[in-house]
Amino acid sequence: MSYTTLAGRTAVITGAASGMGEATARTLASHGVRVALLARRADRLTALANRIEADGGQALAVPADVTDAASVDAAAERIHTAYGAVDLVVNAAGVMLPNPVTDGRADEWQRMLDTNVAGALRVIRAFTPDLIAAAAAGRTADLVNLSSIGAHIAFPHYAVYGATKAALTYLSQSLRTELGPRDVRVTNIEPGLTDTELGGHIDNAELATQLDGMFDALIGLSPDDVADLIAYATSRARHVNLRQAVVLPTRQA
Ligand SMILES: NC(=O)c1ccc[n+]([C@@H]2O[C@H](COP(=O)([O-])OP(=O)(O)OC[C@H]3O[C@@H](n4cnc5c(N)ncnc54)[C@H](OP(=O)(O)O)[C@@H]3O)[C@@H](O)[C@H]2O)c1
């Protein structure tokens, strides 16, 4: 399969400190994409950038917090200064904090809404002008949002997380009506169980154990599996939009 159309493009990838964002950065860089790496943990981003450069790629570590508009705008300025306009945006930053809604954990709700929904919007606001300009100049332009199978299927105690992912799936669908006519592709990826750090922030011991049990039973995807799908989708001819993909471990119904 040819991914050659990726070479020479410039990407910004949020959530690049771990999991799917990190894997996507490595994969795109291996196909000749310059990658700007966004997340909060600067040490992780620097280590990843060094690894990509050692493998012959080009990478820029840009520590930023997507819950903070000024931080996102400052990151965009740094990226524009170093690389110019980007033509590929991957929104992978996200948090998953399950608990019964009856526990009333407004702190967790706010964090998920602010990262998974408003955070993605801040990134979209910062980089959509680049995507529109790239497409207008005849180049391929992509916005990729990492939603979840949780956007469609209800899991007990994951109500707010699922709601943020349903919002992201709807946002992708709706954005296509604005950006598609301007030749910017919007791709919404909905993974199932994937072996990353995402479950590491759960503070409910029972739900953390339940998640571990799901990994034992279902054998999760690796972040590289999802990164491969993103590389496939973004390397198609520019008139082809693989608009929505659900990717699950084979054992997950
Ligand atoms: N793993 C799964 O089973 C699964 C399934 C479906 C969908 N997803 C979605 O896939 C996406 C990637 O998650 P993952 O599974 O790869 O988990 P992960 O390893 O925890 O990655 C999440 C990334 O987001 C970054 N992040 C979190 N809050 C941030 C903030 N405020 N500002 C900037 N970056 C922030 C984290 O880095 P810092 O902490 O350094 O900021 C981290 O690199 C998420 O949107 C998740 O909801 C995951």
Side-chain angles (χ1 to χ4, degrees):
M1 192 60 63
S2 169
Y3 290 2
T4 49
T5 53
L6 287 172
R9 295 183 64 183
T10 304
V12 55
I13 299 151
T14 74
S18 59
M20 298 180 201
E22 179 191 341
T24 301
R26 276 191 285 98
T27 302
L28 292 179
S30 76
H31 291 295
V33 179
R34 294 195 297 185
V35 289
L37 314 170
L38 255 78
R40 293 165 302 178
R41 286 170 291 177
D43 53 337
R44 290 285 196 100
L45 299 182
T46 303
L48 177 61
N50 289 342
R51 183 176 165 191
I52 288 171
E53 301 256 345
D55 289 340
Q58 265 185 287
L60 181 71
V62 189
D65 183 342
V66 299
T67 68
D68 177 350
S71 176
V72 172
D73 291 346
E77 202 175 313
R78 261 199 75 195
I79 293 164
H80 287 144
T81 302
Y83 283 169
V86 308
D87 54 31
L88 203 169
V89 176
V90 180
N91 268 317
V95 285
M96 179 180 79
L97 307 167
N99 259 314
V101 163
T102 47
D103 281 5
R105 290 291 300 271
D107 58 327
E108 294 187 335
W109 304 346
Q110 190 59 47
R111 227 179 114 197
M112 287 189 280
L113 288 164
D114 215 13
T115 309
N116 303 357
V117 183
L121 281 170
R122 291 183 189 100
V123 171
I124 288 166
R125 184 180 62 174
F127 295 104
T128 298
D130 288 13
L131 297 178
I132 290 171
R139 293 188 283 116
T140 308
D142 283 290
L143 169 63
V144 179
N145 291 327
L146 261 303
S147 178
S148 167
I149 185 63
H152 304 286
I153 294 177
F155 297 99
H157 312 316
Y158 285 75
V160 180
Y161 176 73
T164 65
K165 291 302 173 177
L168 195 57
T169 288
Y170 181 83
L171 182 69
S172 300
Q173 180 182 334
S174 205
L175 270 179
R176 255 178 237 117
T177 67
E178 281 187 49
L179 299 182
R182 305 179 83 168
D183 294 321
V184 176
R185 293 190 292 215
V186 180
T187 297
N188 194 60
I189 308 272
E190 301 179 330
L193 207 62
T194 308
D195 195 6
T196 69
E197 296 181 2
L198 194 70
H201 312 292
I202 297 175
D203 77 354
N204 178 317
E206 198 180 322
L207 293 178
T209 304
Q210 183 191 64
L211 189 64
D212 288 344
M214 286 174 71
F215 274 105
D216 290 343
L218 299 177
I219 309 174
L221 299 172
S222 78
D224 286 317
D225 296 325
V226 179
D228 185 48
L229 180 59
I230 292 171
Y232 179 83
T234 54
S235 59
R236 298 307 88 201
R238 67 190 290 260
H239 67 287
V240 179
N241 187 188
L242 205 172
R243 67 193 286 276
Q244 179 117 334
V246 178
V247 53
L248 304 180
T250 302
R251 291 186 180 187
Q252 185 174 5

